[in-house]
């Protein structure tokens, strides 16, 4: 039997470091969990939720799965959302994808991947819905970037349509759903302009996000696609709308 001695030692070093910086940190943390944010992200180990937004343990409630999917039959995800919304009373839920997502890439490949293909079917539907739009980009990595963005937007809508979020809004609870995407190459989060704070805002926010995706398409058609990157293109889109 092999023990993970190195990891246990690193844990002790980390705990000692935290205690030196704040002797009351763990005592305070153990007494109460009161985050204002729920992060629904990808399981990818390169996307550490707390660190990305500069938050300590206890400040961010987190759920992760392959390709940050929100499905109405996923009791794991829905249980997390229900606890976050009804018990913790979080004020913000961020659906966070990332560029270069392996799960999103696998969803549009023809070869079988086994059991996970049933899960990836949810993203495949997003691809089929927006196939004509995605055909604008010739380079596979740029098309993948767009599909990762579209997946976040569609999953954000799925979250808004859950009975949990709908009931919270009906009760007048302060709650906003945000669609974000993270760049592995630069460490920056890109706001995809979906920010819904009520049931009446969902369609409006969806159309706003898709309008900006449409502008992204126009810019792509008018420029050298080989020189495009997600950050530069989104900066151009924002400069137009702002």
């Amino acid at each position: 039997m092999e023990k993970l001695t190195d990891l246990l030692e690193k844990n002790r070093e980390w705990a000692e470091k935290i205690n030196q910086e704040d002797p009351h940190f763990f005592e305070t943390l153990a007494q109460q969990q009161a985050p204002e944010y729920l992060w629904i992200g990808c399981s990818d180990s390169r996307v550490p939720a707390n660190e990305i937004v500069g938050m300590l343990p206890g400040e961010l409630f987190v759920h992760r799965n392959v390709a940050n999917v929100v499905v109405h039959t996923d009791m794991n995800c829905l249980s997390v959302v229900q606890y976050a919304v009804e018990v913790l009373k979080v004020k913000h839920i961020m659906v966070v994808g990332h560029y270069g997502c392996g799960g999103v890439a696998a969803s549009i490949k023809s070869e079988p991947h086994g059991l996970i293909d049933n899960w990836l079917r949810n993203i495949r539907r997003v691809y089929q819905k927006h196939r004509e739009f995605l055909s604008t980009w010739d380079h596979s990595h740029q098309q993948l970037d767009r599909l990762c963005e579209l997946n976040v937007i569609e999953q954000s809508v799925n979250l808004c349509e859950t009975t949990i979020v709908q009931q919270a809004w009906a009760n007048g609870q302060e709650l906003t759903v945000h669609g974000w995407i993270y760049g592995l190459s630069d460490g920056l989060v890109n706001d995809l302009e979906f920010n819904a704070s009520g049931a009446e805002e969902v369609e409006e926010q969806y159309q706003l996000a898709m309008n900006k995706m449409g502008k992204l398409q126009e810019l792509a058609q008018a420029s050298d696609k080989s020189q495009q990157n997600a950050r530069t293109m989104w900066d151009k889109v924002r400069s137009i709308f702002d």
Side-chain angles (χ1 to χ4, degrees), residues 2 25 57 59 72 90-91 99 102 117 124 172 176 232:
E2 183 179 356
F25 177 81
E59 295 181 321
H72 295 169
V90 298
K91 295 180 180 178
Y99 292 116
D117 283 333
R124 182 76 179 179
T176 304
T232 301

Side-chain angles (χ1 to χ4, degrees), residues 38-42 63 65 67-70 77 81 92-98 148-160 176-182 189-192 194:
L38 167 61
W39 173 293
I40 299 178
C42 182
H63 173 76
N65 61 50
N68 45 273
V69 171
V70 179
C77 180
V81 173
H92 301 273
I93 306 178
M94 298 90 77
V95 178
V96 189
H98 66 93
C148 289
E149 293 164 348
L150 289 166
N151 184 50
V152 168
I153 295 169
E154 296 289 350
Q155 303 308 326
S156 297
V157 172
N158 286 348
L159 176 61
C160 291
T176 304
V177 174
H178 309 267
W180 288 1
I181 191 163
Y182 174 70
V189 171
N190 189 14
D191 184 351
L192 294 176
F194 182 96

Side-chain angles (χ1 to χ4, degrees), residues 56-236:
L56 294 170
E59 295 181 321
L60 190 68
F61 201 54
V62 178
H63 173 76
R64 299 169 71 167
N65 61 50
V66 174
N68 45 273
V69 171
V70 179
V71 189
H72 295 169
T73 54
D74 180 4
M75 294 300 106
N76 186 357
C77 180
L78 293 185
S79 296
V80 171
V81 173
Q82 181 178 29
Y83 185 78
V85 172
E86 296 182 5
V87 179
L88 297 177
K89 303 293 183 183
V90 298
K91 295 180 180 178
H92 301 273
I93 306 178
M94 298 90 77
V95 178
V96 189
H98 66 93
Y99 292 116
C101 180
V104 174
S107 73
I108 56 175
K109 292 181 179 177
S110 57
E111 65 267 23
H113 302 88
L115 180 64
I116 197 172
D117 283 333
N118 297 285
W119 180 259
L120 297 178
R121 174 57 56 184
N122 298 292
I123 309 169
R124 182 76 179 179
R125 291 193 188 99
V126 175
Y127 171 73
Q128 291 169 338
K129 178 179 179 180
H130 299 282
R131 195 165 190 166
E132 183 177 350
F133 168 83
L134 290 166
S135 66
T136 299
W137 285 270
D138 302 326
H139 298 272
S140 59
H141 71 279
Q142 292 168 352
Q143 190 176 97
L144 176 59
D145 283 349
R146 300 291 83 77
L147 183 55
C148 289
E149 293 164 348
L150 289 166
N151 184 50
V152 168
I153 295 169
E154 296 289 350
Q155 303 308 326
S156 297
V157 172
N158 286 348
L159 176 61
C160 291
E161 291 177 345
T162 62
T163 56
I164 304 158
V165 173
Q166 289 285 314
Q167 190 60 53
W169 282 337
N171 293 340
Q173 186 171 334
E174 182 182 350
L175 180 65
T176 304
V177 174
H178 309 267
W180 288 1
I181 191 163
Y182 174 70
L184 295 172
S185 62
D186 59 15
L188 297 176
V189 171
N190 189 14
D191 184 351
L192 294 176
E193 308 296 333
F194 182 96
N195 301 279
S197 299
E200 72 285 352
E201 294 183 10
V202 176
E203 181 60 27
E204 173 190 335
Q205 287 297 307
Y206 179 74
Q207 291 303 324
L208 175 63
M210 293 309 300
N211 286 343
K212 294 195 174 183
M213 293 292 290
K215 183 58 67 174
L216 207 66
Q217 182 182 37
E218 291 177 20
L219 290 172
Q221 292 169 332
S223 62
D224 183 357
K225 297 186 184 70
S226 66
Q227 301 300 316
Q228 295 169 12
N229 65 74
R231 185 71 55 201
T232 301
M233 297 300 289
W234 272 99
D235 285 345
K236 289 180 181 179

